[in-house]
Amino acid sequence: GYPENNLVDSSFTSLDLNFILLLDPSGRLAAGKAFDLLSPKEPAELTPVMEAISRDKILLAPSDANNGVRGMLDTSAGPALVAAQAILTSERAGPPLGILVMGRYIDGVLVRELNRITTVDGSVYSLSAPRMDEDVRTYLDTAAAGSPKGVQVLDAERVAGYGVVDDIAGKPAMV
């Protein structure tokens, strides 16, 4: 069937994805696979993604069956870019038969690729990360105190820009 033929390693590497899930109409996992793009030989876990989907139910009920839902999902394994689409007939009709969810973790490889493309040296931190650079922590402290200054002069040659990114449920999740 579909999972055996399509949830194969080459699907993940060619699409640069870390997980593909097929959920039944109630949101339970019907089929799925997680894939570690950094260590393809190591098994990857679906648990962090499924826990986040259960917590942020917005992926389970796309408000527009034709456009789906996309955004950032904060998981215990780190933030991930996700897209969820209702599984409909070829005519885009009928009640959804389930939900297709695909995602990519925002990891060091992705950040380096974005840095290369934009020629900007950037970093991404989950707000739940135990460690982050001191300048990022300072920005978060000033933003929490009501002064969300998004630019900071670090030294004579470097300026840093900051911004908080909301997750798919609209909650602050990363900077």
Side-chain angles (χ1 to χ4, degrees):
Y2 181 88
E4 296 79 23
N5 293 327
N6 294 283
L7 300 181
V8 295
D9 292 356
S10 61
S11 295
F12 293 89
T13 57
S14 65
L15 296 171
D16 282 331
L17 293 174
N18 291 110
F19 52 88
I20 300 174
L21 312 172
L22 295 165
L23 306 177
D24 70 15
S26 67
R28 288 188 305 267
L29 183 65
K33 183 176 177 180
F35 185 80
D36 187 340
L37 291 165
L38 301 174
S39 302
K41 301 282 188 233
E42 299 295 320
E45 291 290 323
L46 282 176
T47 304
V49 176
M50 291 305 298
E51 287 173 347
I53 288 172
S54 294
R55 181 191 67 233
D56 297 331
K57 300 202 183 297
I58 191 166
L59 288 177
L60 300 179
S63 59
D64 182 349
N66 288 317
N67 292 323
V69 176
R70 60 192 170 277
M72 199 276 296
L73 185 67
D74 194 21
T75 78
S76 61
L81 297 173
V82 296
Q85 179 68 51
I87 301 170
L88 303 172
T89 66
S90 298
E91 292 80 32
R92 295 185 180 266
L97 301 173
I99 302 164
L100 172 66
V101 180
M102 295 183 174
R104 164 89 189 257
Y105 287 110
I106 304 171
D107 58 15
V109 173
L110 180 59
V111 171
R112 282 190 296 280
E113 180 66 9
L114 291 172
N115 289 345
R116 185 190 65 75
I117 291 168
T118 62
T119 66
V120 173
D121 186 22
S123 300
V124 175
Y125 297 93
S126 172
L127 292 182
S128 60
R131 296 186 326 220
M132 59 181 65
D133 290 348
E134 187 59 36
D135 60 304
V136 177
R137 179 71 57 206
T138 299
Y139 163 72
L140 291 173
D141 291 344
T142 59
S147 176
K149 180 180 158 190
V151 177
Q152 179 179 356
V153 176
L154 299 177
D155 58 41
E157 296 184 13
R158 297 183 308 142
V159 175
Y162 310 91
V164 174
V165 178
D166 291 344
D167 68 10
I168 203 159
K171 299 179 294 196
M174 73 184 191
V175 62

